[in-house]
Amino acid sequence: MNRFIARSWFFGMIGILTILLSHTSAAQTSIISGKVRDANSNEFLPFTNVFINQTTIGTSADKTGNYVLENIPGGSNEIIFSFVGYKSYRLRVDIKPGETRQLDIRLIPDDVMLENVVVTGTRDKVWQKQLKKFETVFLGTNRFSSSCKIVNPEVLEFNESAENGRELFTATASRPLQIENDALGYRIEYHLKNLASTSEGYNINGEVRFEELQTTDDKKIKSWNQNRVEAYQGSIRHLVKSIIEGRTKEEGFNIYTDKKGFENATQRTGTFGAQLEKTVEPFSFADKVTSSKDNQEYIIQLKQRLEVHFTKANTPVKVYSDINFPVSWLQVSGGILRVNSQGVMLNPSNLIVSGSMFQARVADLLPYNYAPGQLTVVNQNENNSPLALKLFRMQEKVYIQTDKPYYYPGERIWLKAYMNYRTLDLIDSLSSVLYVELISSDKKILQTKKVFIDGGSGEGSINLPDKLNPGNYILRAYTNWMLNYPSEELFTSVIPVLDEYDRPDVTPFSEVIPESSVSIKLLAGNEFYKARSKIDLGLELRDRSGNPVYAELSVAITDVSQVIEVPQEN
């Protein structure tokens, strides 16, 4: 986790948008392939996300955990392996142009992430207020921000505290944030590690995968391309690339630094012209940039604080009365900035930014394989994209049947799990382990059981503690693969636990389950039985037309005087 950096400078706040970056090159592409498995069980992890951080270059593993990542630029690349319910794995790979390499990966289950999966979709007013604060810090406040939407905000958790006399706002996410940026035409999967913000600055740390949004609207494509150029122009990446190419002036950047004796000045006059050559002077990078042998990595020496004016844009917020364009301030901790040939910073946490460039947040992000002037042609319906169709076809759901409608402390919950598959051919190819949890009303996981799935079903039990407080508990069930879908797709059911002296209201017992498309009748050989005598039961299932129905059933034998039928029971 990167350290939180925040200082007061004379014209505003400072911030760091820290993303674990990729070093890419525009040479012949390479291929990496392999298999992804569970580190504990050695089972394959189907459809694991595999991508180069901060780019649109990515893929997903197939149903047996095999992946092939193509179009990898030669050089140093940071590859991310991500699967919901597991700790993401980050691997720096140096690969030669045209090289093919085999990498098998094992992911470690993330118990904390599983605990944070939201049980209900409702949040209180305090959380809603915190979400607004998060969106301001995370997305920013420029014109692109209003077109940027977090699709799954329910995965966010916030905390507000005091640190060194300052209010500290932090945020974490139990699952990757799904963001749609309709201004730039990207769908972003943001693996947020942490966000920290005070009145003096912010720090955002995470990993990012981009995907092109799809459209057939030519006007929309034109708008996306224009907005991408605007987002790039005057950005830190634009500045860095112009520095290593020796084209700062041509690209519209006027760069200044403090004159000797004024390095720590915290105030200036409102007119820039009155300070030029008095407290500030032009800065040159002529002897400050060195490159590697292959010209793919550069080192910029920057010990001074810089003031950057971008002359090819106007700004409504004027820092100086005689300057109408954006003004920013940069300083590098340690005096060294490492970048690649595309202007991508390799040690971004060392850079401290204030002024206009400080306003750029996630809503302004462009993938690092975006090239200025690059035209976007997207004409495929997003609902029919290969990934969307794959996710639709591979969906699985679960239903849990329990032996009783309510329980007392110390009892055992017997349960049976039924899996339902959108594609029945995959019944033996998808998940083989089901997680069943008992959750308290304050969202604490009290017990977790593994139920092994064989042929689409499984059985198990949960023992209730003897001193369990009465109340409503949640029974939640899911597979790791189900966590890739919206949280409401997880199975949840209310389990009432009564006080030992409580009794529910009595309702008549019925042999036929009401309000069902299938009638189920229990047929016993005799009307009365003696203790320990054998009971032969027949089960008759028919649909509404009276036709026999095939089904897989489970039967719970209970004492009708002890276990009373509850009207809400299904």
Side-chain angles (χ1 to χ4, degrees):
M1 181 180 297
N2 292 299
R3 59 192 178 91
F4 180 79
I5 303 177
R7 302 176 188 169
S8 252
W9 282 2
F10 34 72
F11 288 118
M13 296 163 59
I14 61 96
I16 303 171
L17 180 60
T18 301
I19 301 178
L20 308 172
L21 306 174
S22 303
H23 184 178
T24 59
S25 65
Q28 183 181 359
T29 59
S30 308
I31 297 175
I32 293 178
S33 61
K35 182 181 284 289
V36 186
R37 294 179 180 272
D38 183 302
N40 295 336
S41 67
N42 207 37
E43 295 179 353
F44 56 77
L45 295 179
F47 319 120
T48 299
N49 284 320
V50 184
F51 61 95
I52 298 180
N53 194 22
Q54 262 289 61
T55 72
T56 58
I57 302 172
T59 186
S60 58
D62 62 18
K63 65 182 182 180
T64 58
N66 292 302
Y67 73 92
V68 178
L69 186 61
E70 301 177 310
N71 300 319
I72 303 175
S76 180
N77 293 274
E78 189 170 69
I79 303 177
I80 308 298
F81 298 82
S82 171
F83 190 84
V84 175
Y86 288 77
K87 296 178 181 179
S88 61
Y89 183 69
R90 185 172 67 253
L91 181 65
R92 174 75 66 175
V93 177
D94 293 314
I95 191 166
K96 298 178 181 179
E99 181 182 354
T100 298
R101 188 178 299 183
Q102 177 87 10
L103 287 176
D104 293 335
I105 302 297
R106 283 171 168 76
L107 299 184
I108 300 173
D110 189 346
D111 296 333
V112 175
M113 179 179 291
L114 294 179
E115 289 179 6
N116 289 335
V117 175
V118 179
V119 178
T120 62
T122 59
R123 296 297 187 107
D124 57 26
K125 291 182 179 180
V126 174
W127 184 89
Q128 294 292 343
K129 184 178 180 181
Q130 292 172 328
L131 175 61
K132 294 296 183 183
K133 182 184 293 188
F134 173 83
E135 290 175 337
T136 299
V137 177
F138 186 69
L139 300 178
T141 57
N142 68 8
R143 76 180 190 91
F144 297 148
S145 305
S146 59
S147 300
C148 209
K149 178 183 179 183
I150 301 175
V151 179
N152 60 337
E154 68 275 3
V155 305
L156 287 163
E157 293 291 341
F158 308 113
N159 183 61
E160 294 182 276
S161 60
E163 185 176 282
N164 298 326
R166 300 174 303 176
E167 290 187 2
L168 175 64
F169 175 76
T170 61
T172 56
S174 60
R175 296 167 61 187
L177 291 173
Q178 305 296 328
I179 304 163
E180 290 191 359
N181 190 336
D182 194 48
L184 300 181
Y186 292 113
R187 181 179 291 107
I188 302 172
E189 184 176 271
Y190 202 111
H191 298 250
L192 180 68
K193 302 299 182 184
N194 70 287
L195 174 147
S197 174
T198 71
S199 59
E200 296 181 354
Y202 71 91
N203 185 1
I204 305 173
N205 182 8
E207 303 153 350
V208 186
R209 178 181 180 178
F210 287 86
E211 182 184 350
E212 297 273 3
L213 290 179
Q214 310 294 325
T215 185
T216 57
D217 187 344
D218 291 337
K219 291 183 179 179
K220 178 71 74 174
I221 294 174
K222 182 179 179 181
S223 173
W224 286 346
N225 287 323
Q226 290 175 343
N227 290 342
R228 291 178 186 183
V229 171
E230 183 178 333
Y232 177 82
Q233 292 291 323
S235 66
I236 294 176
R237 183 183 169 199
H238 183 200
L239 170 63
V240 170
K241 189 168 176 60
S242 68
I243 290 173
I244 62 179
E245 293 178 350
R247 291 178 47 83
T248 53
K249 198 74 174 179
E250 293 85 347
E251 293 296 323
F253 293 102
N254 289 341
I255 303 176
Y256 307 91
T257 190
D258 300 319
K259 291 196 71 172
K260 188 175 182 180
F262 295 91
E263 294 88 351
N264 298 316
T266 58
Q267 293 182 349
R268 292 180 182 166
T269 66
T271 305
F272 181 75
Q275 300 174 95
L276 189 59
E277 299 298 349
K278 295 181 180 178
T279 60
V280 295
E281 61 185 357
F283 180 83
S284 173
F285 286 95
D287 58 346
K288 304 292 191 299
V289 180
T290 55
S291 65
S292 60
K293 292 182 179 180
D294 57 2
N295 292 327
Q296 293 302 315
E297 184 172 324
Y298 295 79
I299 293 178
I300 303 174
Q301 299 181 33
L302 189 58
K303 298 181 180 180
Q304 303 93 328
R305 180 175 62 189
L306 297 187
E307 179 169 317
V308 181
H309 298 186
F310 184 60
T311 63
K312 293 187 177 182
N314 294 320
T315 178
V317 181
K318 295 179 65 173
V319 174
Y320 301 107
S321 60
D322 56 342
I323 298 294
N324 294 321
F325 30 77
V327 179
S328 304
W329 292 268
L330 310 178
Q331 189 166 356
V332 177
S333 177
I336 297 294
L337 194 64
R338 293 176 52 245
V339 303
N340 68 14
S341 60
Q342 303 303 312
V344 177
M345 292 180 292
L346 304 179
N347 59 337
S349 62
N350 286 15
L351 182 65
I352 302 173
V353 184
S354 65
S356 176
M357 289 182 179
F358 166 82
Q359 301 301 326
R361 308 291 171 89
V362 172
D364 303 273
L365 281 182
L366 292 169
Y368 287 148
N369 56 328
Y370 166 79
Q374 180 185 66
L375 293 179
T376 303
V377 179
V378 280
N379 53 19
Q380 180 181 353
N381 186 318
E382 60 181 276
N383 293 326
N384 293 323
S385 66
L387 180 58
L389 291 175
K390 178 182 288 187
L391 288 174
F392 179 81
R393 183 173 179 269
M394 303 300 177
Q395 189 173 10
E396 61 185 12
K397 291 187 177 183
V398 62
Y399 178 79
I400 297 292
Q401 179 189 10
T402 56
D403 62 321
K404 298 200 303 180
Y406 60 91
Y407 295 86
Y408 293 96
E411 290 192 315
R412 176 178 293 187
I413 301 176
W414 292 98
L415 55 88
K416 180 163 183 176
Y418 296 92
M419 300 298 297
N420 193 10
Y421 304 90
R422 194 178 295 277
T423 305
L424 292 178
D425 292 344
L426 299 177
I427 187 170
D428 294 322
S429 301
L430 291 177
S431 302
S432 58
V433 177
L434 179 73
Y435 296 90
V436 182
E437 298 170 337
L438 184 67
I439 303 172
S440 65
S441 58
D442 58 355
K443 299 182 181 179
K444 292 183 179 179
I445 298 178
L446 304 180
Q447 291 192 48
T448 300
K449 296 290 185 179
K450 289 183 179 180
V451 174
F452 292 95
I453 302 300
D454 183 17
S457 64
E459 305 86 26
S461 64
I462 293 178
N463 292 322
L464 297 179
D466 292 334
K467 296 183 179 180
L468 190 65
N469 293 328
N472 287 332
Y473 292 79
I474 296 292
L475 191 70
R476 180 173 67 185
Y478 56 86
T479 64
N480 275 324
W481 175 237
M482 288 171 63
L483 293 176
N484 291 283
Y485 295 84
S487 57
E488 53 266 23
E489 298 294 335
L490 276 60
F491 173 85
T492 59
S493 177
V494 176
I495 299 294
V497 176
L498 307 182
D499 184 90
E500 58 180 330
Y501 300 108
D502 288 344
R503 297 276 289 175
D505 294 334
V506 178
T507 56
F509 178 77
S510 174
E511 290 185 346
V512 180
I513 297 178
E515 299 181 1
S516 173
S517 60
V518 177
S519 65
I520 304 176
K521 289 187 177 181
L522 298 177
L523 306 175
N526 299 309
E527 185 177 357
F528 299 99
Y529 294 88
K530 296 181 180 180
R532 295 192 164 288
S533 60
K534 182 179 179 181
I535 302 175
D536 293 321
L537 289 179
L539 292 166
E540 183 181 281
L541 288 82
R542 297 186 181 274
D543 60 20
R544 290 175 178 174
S545 300
N547 300 313
V549 175
Y550 172 81
E552 181 178 346
L553 304 173
S554 60
V555 177
I557 308 299
T558 60
D559 187 334
V560 69
S561 65
Q562 298 293 325
V563 181
I564 302 170
E565 186 179 18
V566 176
Q568 292 80 12
E569 181 185 6
N570 292 322

